[in-house]
Amino acid sequence: MKRFFGLFLVIAAIASCAEKTIEEPENLIPESKMVDILYDLAIINAAKQTNANVLVENNVRTMPYLFTKYKIDSVQFADSNTYYAADPIAYEGLYKEVQSKLDTIKKQFESKNLFKADSIAKSKEKKKPKTVPLKASQK
């Protein structure tokens, strides 16, 4: 009887872990679109950290901008975010995709900066005057 009860507890624990705690909302944002939204949100937050005055001066209100861009509303975003966050493993997957997109754009910027630095160095080399060393006999 104790074995049966122990086995029942293990099965119940496994089944309860697989059960969703939050029901899927009617207007759930698809995962791919949610990744795009979270990516844009990360870029905007980075811009705020770098120079928030630019956003203020240009009257950019971040969340209304995202809602308009993706044709969603605040309730739909909140419900979808809560739904995805209820499953930490799936939510981590979303953020890994966001991180992958951020890494890709970072590499693109780094390669552009390397190219720019290389072209600046080459232009400086071209501008250097050619000097001819004097021979000892000419002195």
Side-chain angles (χ1 to χ4, degrees):
M1 183 69 172
K2 287 183 181 182
R3 287 185 187 175
F4 176 74
F5 185 70
L7 182 62
F8 175 75
L9 284 178
V10 170
I11 293 172
I14 292 172
S16 67
C17 290
E19 185 180 320
K20 294 273 185 182
T21 56
I22 296 178
E23 290 187 32
E24 183 176 316
E26 291 177 17
N27 55 356
L28 181 68
I29 298 170
E31 285 187 23
S32 61
K33 190 173 185 179
M34 193 68 176
V35 167
D36 292 340
I37 294 168
L38 294 172
Y39 169 78
D40 283 351
L41 195 55
I43 296 292
I44 290 170
N45 284 333
K48 282 182 181 180
Q49 296 297 320
T50 303
N51 191 354
N53 291 335
V54 172
L55 296 174
V56 172
E57 290 169 2
N58 292 302
N59 199 27
V60 175
R61 294 178 22 226
T62 57
M63 293 312 287
Y65 166 76
L66 288 176
F67 297 151
T68 302
K69 179 178 179 180
Y70 290 101
K71 297 176 178 73
I72 59 172
D73 60 27
S74 59
V75 174
Q76 185 180 12
F77 176 74
D79 288 347
S80 297
N81 196 46
T82 302
Y83 175 76
Y84 288 125
D87 182 358
I89 295 170
Y91 204 55
E92 181 183 18
L94 292 177
Y95 272 96
K96 283 183 179 181
E97 287 184 51
V98 170
Q99 186 63 49
S100 175
K101 289 177 78 167
L102 290 170
D103 290 341
T104 300
I105 198 164
K106 180 182 176 184
K107 287 177 186 175
Q108 290 173 350
F109 278 114
E110 286 174 348
S111 67
K112 283 183 181 181
N113 285 338
L114 288 175
F115 178 75
K116 187 176 180 180
D118 187 44
S119 63
I120 291 171
K122 285 181 181 178
S123 70
K124 287 181 181 180
E125 285 177 11
K126 289 179 183 177
K127 292 181 181 180
K128 287 183 181 178
K130 294 183 179 179
T131 58
V132 180
L134 293 175
K135 293 182 180 176
S137 63
Q138 291 179 347
K139 287 185 181 180

